[in-house]
Amino acid sequence: MATTRLVLLTYLESWDGSSLNLNLLLIPRASPLDPLDPAVPKSPSFAAANFKFDIFLQTNLGDLPQPGGTAFTTITSGPVSTAVPVFNALASQFPIDSNPPNVIIRPLGNSVQKHLPLSYQKAVNYAPGGSSLVFTDSTYACALKTPKSNATPPALPTQNPLIPWGKVIAIVLRNQSIARAAGLIRSISVPISPITLLKNGGFVYVTLNPTSDGASLISETGALNTYCSFIPQLTQAKDIFSPVLFPVSTASASQNYDNIFPEVEDYNDGWAKAVHCSQSQQISPFNDTPDGTRPRSELGIRLGWDDEQVTTWMNRQLDSTQAPLDVPLGVAGYRIDTRLTGSTTWHSLNSAAGELAVGNIDLGPFNGELDIETHPNQLDAQITGTFWLPIYFTAWTGRTLVNKDDIAVQLVGGPDPTLGLAVKGVVPDIQLLYGNSYDFRVRLMDHTGGGPTLTGSPIVPGPSPIATIPFQRWVPPQPLTINNPPPAQPDPTNVPKSVSLSRGLLEYPAVVCTGFPNAINALFADLPAAIAANRHPGLPDPDVTQVLITIEVQGLTQDPEATDGTFIPIVITTRNFPSDPSQPLIVPISWTDISDVSGLIEPTSGAILLPTSRLIRIVFNPVCQSKPSYFGAIDVQTGPRCFVTVRKEASNETNLFLPSLPSNTIRGLYMQPEAPVTIASQAAAQLAGTPNQGPTDNATQAAAALGLLNDGLTLRSMHGERVVFGCSASLRHTIGPDLASIRFDTPGELALKWIIAIELTLNRDWTWDGLAMDGIIVTNSNNTVVGQFSPNRNVSDDALNPPNRTQTQLIFFDAVDPKPANGIFPQELNLKYTVTYQFTGTPEADSPVILTLTLPVTTPPTQTPKIISAGIAMSSYQRDPGYTTTTARARALWIELESPVADPNDTYFARVLRYAPDPILATTGLSLPQVPDAPLAIDPEPIRVIRLGQVPDESGLSAMQELIPSDDPSGLFWQLPLPPGLTSDSPELFSFFTYELRVGHAKIWSTAQGRFGRPYQVTGVQHPAPTLLCDVLRTHTAISVSLPYAQPVLNGVSVQPTNPRSTLWVMLYAQAEQLDGQDSRNVLLARQVAVTFGKGNDKLQGTIARFATTAFTATSVQQALSAWGFNSGATLSVLGVEMLPQEAPPGDPLGANLGGQRILRTSPLTPVPHICD
């Protein structure tokens, strides 16, 4: 097969109703200045050839045209006068490679693929599965991110300085005017008769006439390649186009072109069928869906069309498996038109103009259109493999699409890319402005520059021949410029009085799209300053009309109300920029002392108001004025922030603490040691969900008393309240990093000492930071600093559930040892604490808080009583003048103690532990239960809480009876009062008592547990027995006297034996006047034993008491009176005596044997009544 020397391609241009207009593209495959057929001596060159062309028409649509046959017509196309000079000039301009190497046109393994953007999918209502060459997922994005197939790409081949004529001709074909001047493109108009010849379509091609120069190529197989175009149905005048050409070859009969003809049918009008466009709304141009970002710069309107078809066409040109089809793509490029939506006037974005010349050959002016080409890229920089078409084929930013945006290049410091270009793109006479809606369409251009004109319109329908898009601003305004920024570290002594703000700079092309007057010249004017500042040129954003001012205060680290780090927004306001974009906005600053920033009322104009004693961040966001259809989204109207951080100390910090009940400001807690942990108490704690605490552990008691929570030894705040703890060194403790919890080292740390809790409520919200480090200073009565603390920038979870951000509880713990020094008696403690404060500034402040607290004695007396003697104290002896009767004497038990009370504030106390009936009086064999000593009946006081102003109480004082002191100055003699509930007549007095004596605090305030000292126990204590009373009855025959026996009881029940053991005697007396007449005396007339005679009703639980009686006969009484010289009418009295039993009682215990038997009790002298005659 001979080497191809000439290729002829026939392109359809139009049908005017009678003539078929064609463009013939002639491509010499060797030097156009060499003979067309080297085998024919003196054969003319391509440039000088006098061509004669046969034009073939075929109306048979069943087969592709074959070589031969009869031509429809023949035309002559002589040499183009400029061709030889042009090619000679080109040969001089380019270093021509006269013997270029063979090139593999289609290497194996090539394919072209494309990602289908969302705009295309919507335009065609895309359904996946049609082609394996296109993707809608992340395949393309992953391909861009995936590491290259080779770690080190192969080196590029050495550049050949020589250029073959094929490349030169390819360059020439990019401007149809030069190509025509070189004779490569020739227009042919073929009259058709009859005009209905092609009503059903057909084929047309042009080839060499046998008499033409170069005709010898016809006979050489492969030397001349001819391609035809398919003609659509021609029933009316219209533009027609050749999207694909077919070979005129006998080999074509063996190929299947079924997939090609639909393309020819779809695109024979030369218009794209699926035009789509979009505007980047995110930073990533690959992302079609919102991702929370906005573009940094304006990329313009991105345009694409017929993505699947273009991919198919490009793949066909590179895929070696499709080479046998030999169907050249008739589409060389594309021309883009736009118009304002609603307008009928289209504007070409591919217009170009300039003076054409090749070398010294002037080809005249060019005023036409050039094209846009679509080219795939190999992502691994390889010459084979997978090639990817771009997502969009071009983007319009308001300039021409013919060449690079010359303004954009120059504004980044590059040279004008149009310099040296003879033909340049013409800036379209339509502006790209935000707020406008634009329509786009795409015209196909063939290799001859042919294709639909600007005035044409699509004929063959498609899913989206025209794409419409509202061009909106998606680029947010840039941050404002702070012209007078304060130091990054705020200086409270040098507070700025105002902030000067300038609009952020909007770069090209966005600023042009706003309609900024004379924007491009202004941008170039800004270029020197931009280079010096290492930024892109820009102009003050004309859309920014306001500044959004957010005043933020530094909050606490863990506070969820902080939206940016630790800062909390408290006020949002706005201020308007001057109408002149070049002028700054001055924002004055004023300050206010305020306890709670939630009450800050920000003015709507003028100076902004800031709270003092806080770290303030003033955030400035540019805000654009709303315009209909101008902005793509609301968030685009607000730009990124800039901010300044400032601080000023308050001038007035009075009312630092909230008023509270005085009783809550200072409290003293005194706790007993914890009870030992038992299995039962552990189980109860587990069931209660508090395994680390019990109801009586010191930490739980302290927490309950102070309104806190605890977990074991750790105290923390109740939910919703922020607490800051401080503590003196007198308690071993650990305070959490957030100061919201305090842990005491051991349980014993809280026991047997006064824990002083000072509680103040800081009348400042959580953002306030006016205290110096450890600015709360606590001193004690001795003016000794016991602790310093202050809130930090942290908050606990407890305080946030839910939070009360308006205040902070300050709780300070101190410990006071209540034990007196050696040799000093216990005294009430009068404490005084002073709370002072240090601020970060020097404001007017409150006076120090002075807190006083009086605490009771907690130390028991150390003295222990001891009895050394005891006795009965009696009231004075009283009788009537005639000595006939005496008054029962009051009797009490007295004791003598070893020493007087040592502490003047103390006294002696006693209590009954138990008692038992006198065994010689009670029933024999009485069983008495073993009763343990009852504990002292005082409040166990696991915790004692004393508040400010608390009135002293007498806690525990009633648990024992105070002994009654005697008048004896020695302080040794004391009366033991009857046990509570007993009187001098109580039968319980016929018992022995076990007593406990203690020294106790009586004249000072004491806790119950600290009131009494160590016990002294004494048994066998017997109070004076109840008084014996006689009942006397006198008759004419006798004087009868009855008396009750001693009646012992136990627990209120009589235990008197059936036969009482004691003995009752009655003494009968007569009264005689002294010889001096000054007094009377009693003379014993008779005595006799009373005999048990009956039973009477007892007052004790209905039991029966026994009585004894005796009678003195009237005769015996008269005899006795006579014997002593008394008359019969002498006054008489009786006296009862009860003798204690004994084994061998004497015969006359009240007479001759007086003293031989113990007397239990005697009665008063009771008169014997007279009897009436």
Side-chain angles (χ1 to χ4, degrees), residues 423-445:
V423 177
K424 304 178 182 179
V426 176
V427 177
D429 56 351
I430 181 172
Q431 286 185 289
L432 182 61
L433 297 176
Y434 293 130
N436 289 340
S437 179
Y438 295 89
D439 297 339
F440 293 91
R441 66 182 186 178
V442 177
R443 293 175 283 135
L444 279 59
M445 187 193 82

Side-chain angles (χ1 to χ4, degrees), residues 668 754 828 854-858 938-939 941 943-947 949-958 1001-1011:
W754 282 109
E828 297 172 4
T854 299
L855 299 175
V857 171
T858 60
I938 59 174
D939 188 341
E941 293 181 328
I943 180 171
R944 187 69 191 273
V945 180
I946 304 299
R947 300 173 181 269
Q950 184 167 328
V951 177
D953 54 59
E954 296 181 345
S955 179
L957 191 63
S958 61
H1001 302 308
K1003 299 177 183 179
I1004 56 174
W1005 188 14
S1006 171
T1007 63
Q1009 290 292 318
R1011 184 168 297 278

Side-chain angles (χ1 to χ4, degrees), residues 112-130:
V112 177
Q113 299 178 355
K114 189 180 188 305
H115 175 79
L116 302 181
L118 192 60
S119 59
Y120 174 78
Q121 298 178 52
K122 292 180 178 179
V124 301
N125 195 19
Y126 175 75

Side-chain angles (χ1 to χ4, degrees), residues 867-922:
I867 298 175
I868 59 175
S869 67
I872 300 297
M874 294 185 293
S875 62
S876 59
Y877 187 77
Q878 295 180 355
R879 59 182 175 83
D880 65 340
Y883 212 165
T884 61
T885 181
T886 60
T887 303
R889 300 179 70 177
R891 296 177 297 166
L893 178 65
W894 62 263
I895 57 175
E896 180 184 4
L897 296 169
E898 184 180 50
S899 61
V901 175
D903 186 345
N905 292 317
D906 293 349
T907 189
Y908 287 113
F909 291 84
R911 69 173 178 131
V912 174
L913 295 179
R914 68 188 69 83
Y915 77 94
D918 191 336
I920 63 175
L921 297 177

Side-chain angles (χ1 to χ4, degrees), residues 107 161 223 438 521 548 575 647 857 891 1061:
Y438 295 89
N521 290 338
L548 181 70
R575 298 293 185 270
R647 180 187 178 94
V857 171
R891 296 177 297 166
R1061 295 181 178 178

Side-chain angles (χ1 to χ4, degrees), residues 772-797:
M773 177 71 73
D774 293 336
I776 301 293
I777 305 167
V778 183
T779 57
N780 62 13
S781 306
N782 301 323
N783 290 325
T784 300
V785 174
V786 294
Q788 293 181 244
F789 71 113
S790 63
N792 61 13
R793 307 308 303 170
N794 296 284
V795 66
S796 68
D797 290 341

